[in-house]
Amino acid sequence: MGRALQQTSVSTNIKERLDFSCAIFAPNGDLIANVSDFPLASRADDERADTPIRRFDRRPTYRCICTVSARKGSMSFAVRYQINLLKGDINAGDVILSNHPVAGGSHLPDITCITPVFQEGKIVFFTASRGHHADVGGILPGSMPPTSKTIFEEGAQIKSFKVVREGVFQRDELVRYLVEEPAKYEGCSGTRCLGDVESDLRAQIAANNKGVGLIYTMVDEYSLQTVQDYMLHIRDNAELAVRNLLRGVAKTQGTTELHSVDYLDDGTPIALHVSIDAKKGSAVFDFEGTGAEIFGNLNAPVSVTYSAIIYCLRAMVDQDFRLKSSYRQAVVSTHPRPLQLSVVMSPIQCSILSERRVYHPYGLHGGGDGACGQNTWIKQPRAADGDLSKSGGAPRRVNLGGKATLRMGKGDRIVICTPGGGAWGAPGGEKKVNGVKELKHGRGDARGGGADRAAEQLGA
């Protein structure tokens, strides 16, 4: 599915930045399998042509971790929302489109396509894909305005729309949702690149159909009962892994009550209290103490909050793989890394949304904090801007802060220093992690599913 979507899409976001996710869901909307969200998935991973979701080699790319975490579980919310909303009105040949936060969406440029898989008149699976589209309207190109205060300013809002109805593509209605509806609000526009958005949506539909076809291939070979039995095994195994993780956390920390507070750059606290039931291997995640709703665009819907928890738990589970021991002990660089964009050759409008420009990424177990990021506009002096002297003058360096929209002129540049990472452990010391002594230098042996498959590829 992922390969099909990448190859048939046209936008930079999906084709080049790989800002998309594909997944398979149970009839009730539970997530069963999804394409690896990490930008460096090697060919050592399973790449058999007969598996519905293939992992594939990806070029190095920068992706926003919040986007990745938001997709992990929010797509399940999106599928369940349509199941509950449409009830018996989901038919063979339908493809449902949605991007609204109350319907399991994240931000509006992320559009989800959901396709039912039928067997003998019953839904037996769903395939779904979510991609970040180039523009869905709103007050600024790109549909991610730093200054938006209402959802109407961010573009098209779709709670539930059958973009394909029993095999027929509903283009006129799609144009209404993407072009006409968003433009009804003051200062807002419909999508500014309908052709690209439509092409990418068709690519998502094709990717879903690829998944449907491969599911049918598996069912023909192994039977529906066998495929669904393994679906339940996968789900039960994931549940057991998380329960064991929570039991392990309670044991190693010596407590079942955990609490932490972090802050957005505007000072808004994000508080989390975790109460673990060590006997059951379950936990309650309580965000009481988190700041009030922000008058802006950083408020997270329930589905994204849930997804962030799922992502963190998944990252902590090491049942299938284990990070190299040298990574756990190594002190992470705390210096921001500059990313300099190309010199502007003609006037353009530029927007940036970023965090950790005020509050430092924190370290753990004696490690120091990471450095804050910084966004700098290297501005050429211009008479029209009132900053050009008779002698010409040197370029100005302007700190943009974390969120800004600006009009850049010819010869301007923007330099983005991404935040450093908080360090783990005091420099130069040996540490024990879960009772295991970590080495001061050197590489540990790679372990787990990916490493095992890599060894098999090499004949080890």
Side-chain angles (χ1 to χ4, degrees):
M1 290 175 68
R3 176 71 78 182
L5 178 50
Q6 181 195 13
Q7 290 182 335
T8 56
S9 60
V10 299
S11 71
T12 299
N13 283 342
I14 296 178
K15 195 175 200 67
E16 300 294 332
R17 291 203 305 113
L18 307 177
D19 197 346
F20 66 85
S21 294
C22 299
I24 294 175
F25 299 87
N28 66 349
D30 284 350
L31 175 65
I32 300 302
N34 64 287
V35 168
S36 171
D37 276 317
F38 296 99
L40 296 177
S42 70
R43 282 200 177 97
D45 287 328
D46 189 8
E47 208 176 296
R48 294 181 300 158
D50 59 346
T51 53
I53 293 189
R54 299 171 61 194
R55 296 178 179 179
F56 48 86
D57 185 41
R58 295 179 174 182
R59 287 169 290 171
T61 181
Y62 297 94
R63 297 186 64 190
C64 178
I65 199 69
C66 64
T67 301
V68 174
S69 64
R71 288 189 179 141
K72 288 290 183 183
S74 63
M75 284 178 71
S76 286
F77 273 77
V79 174
R80 290 195 193 104
Y81 183 90
Q82 302 304 324
I83 293 171
N84 294 330
L85 177 69
L86 299 175
K87 300 190 184 296
D89 189 26
I90 301 177
N91 306 304
D94 288 349
V95 178
I96 305 161
L97 199 99
S98 179
N99 73 338
H100 202 288
V102 303
S106 48
H107 59 175
L108 296 183
D110 279 354
I111 301 180
T112 304
C113 289
I114 302 167
T115 303
V117 183
F118 280 84
Q119 183 81 354
E120 297 180 354
K122 295 182 179 180
I123 296 176
V124 293
F125 288 101
F126 287 94
T127 62
S129 56
R130 176 175 289 180
H132 183 132
H133 289 261
D135 189 289
V136 294
I139 59 176
L140 288 178
S143 306
M144 292 180 61
T147 58
S148 60
K149 298 296 188 291
T150 71
I151 194 170
F152 306 107
E153 296 175 320
E154 299 185 355
Q157 307 160 58
I158 305 170
K159 291 183 180 179
S160 181
F161 161 49
K162 289 186 179 181
V163 67
V164 179
R165 188 182 298 273
E166 297 185 18
V168 180
F169 188 73
Q170 307 293 312
R171 188 179 189 278
D172 290 345
E173 199 168 352
L174 177 66
V175 172
R176 180 175 68 82
Y177 273 110
L178 292 177
V179 179
E180 299 171 10
E181 292 295 329
K184 291 180 178 179
Y185 301 98
E186 184 179 358
C188 296
S189 164
T191 177
R192 300 163 181 87
C193 50
L194 177 62
D196 285 3
V197 175
E198 181 182 349
S199 293
D200 282 350
L201 287 174
R202 289 180 182 270
Q204 287 183 242
I205 294 167
N208 287 9
N209 288 339
K210 180 70 172 178
V212 172
L214 290 171
I215 288 174
Y216 283 143
T217 299
M218 282 202 306
V219 170
D220 289 343
E221 184 172 355
Y222 299 106
S223 81
L224 178 61
Q225 185 63 53
T226 299
V227 173
Q228 290 191 324
D229 284 346
Y230 274 89
M231 171 188 74
L232 295 175
H233 296 332
I234 292 170
R235 186 172 60 189
D236 292 345
N237 182 65
E239 179 183 343
L240 179 62
V242 173
R243 289 188 184 279
N244 287 338
L245 164 71
L246 293 170
R247 293 185 183 105
V249 169
K251 181 178 180 180
T252 57
Q253 296 297 319
T255 180
T256 58
E257 303 293 329
L258 306 171
H259 184 78
S260 185
V261 181
D262 202 352
Y263 298 88
L264 296 177
D265 279 349
D266 67 358
T268 300
I270 301 176
L272 175 61
H273 188 93
V274 181
S275 300
I276 300 174
D277 185 325
K279 185 176 181 180
K280 294 180 179 179
S282 62
V284 174
F285 292 77
D286 185 356
F287 288 87
E288 182 69 29
T290 295
E293 178 181 338
I294 297 172
F295 186 51
N297 53 21
L298 281 183
N299 299 296
V302 173
S303 60
V304 172
T305 305
Y306 172 85
S307 301
I309 295 171
I310 295 297
Y311 179 81
C312 291
L313 291 173
R314 179 168 176 171
M316 294 169 67
V317 171
D318 62 356
Q319 178 173 308
D320 293 329
F321 65 92
R322 183 175 178 179
L323 293 177
K324 298 173 184 177
S325 59
S326 58
Y327 288 171
R328 296 192 179 193
Q329 174 59 25
V331 176
V332 179
S333 170
T334 60
H335 298 286
R337 299 183 177 184
L339 170 64
Q340 184 167 295
L341 303 186
S342 300
V343 175
V344 175
M345 301 307 296
S346 60
I348 62 170
Q349 183 168 277
C350 176
S351 296
I352 186 165
L353 299 91
S354 57
E355 280 286 319
R356 296 293 186 188
R357 268 54 183 174
V358 176
Y359 286 89
H360 292 260
Y362 54 84
L364 293 171
H365 293 270
D369 291 345
C372 287
Q374 188 173 43
N375 307 318
T376 305
W377 178 16
I378 311 299
K379 184 188 180 303
Q380 299 296 329
R382 283 179 286 274
D385 298 335
D387 56 2
L388 180 64
S389 63
K390 291 182 179 180
S391 59
R396 296 166 55 197
R397 298 180 63 89
V398 182
N399 183 0
L400 297 175
K403 300 168 185 62
T405 296
L406 62 148
R407 187 75 175 174
M408 298 182 70
K410 184 177 179 179
D412 289 358
R413 290 172 291 154
I414 182 170
V415 177
I416 302 172
C417 290
T418 58
W424 171 278
E430 290 182 342
K431 294 289 179 183
K432 286 188 177 182
V433 179
N434 294 339
V436 179
K437 186 176 181 180
E438 295 293 319
L439 298 179
K440 199 171 182 179
H441 300 289
R443 295 179 57 181
D445 292 332
R447 297 178 58 192
D452 291 344
R453 288 190 291 274
E456 291 173 5
Q457 293 281 336
L458 298 172

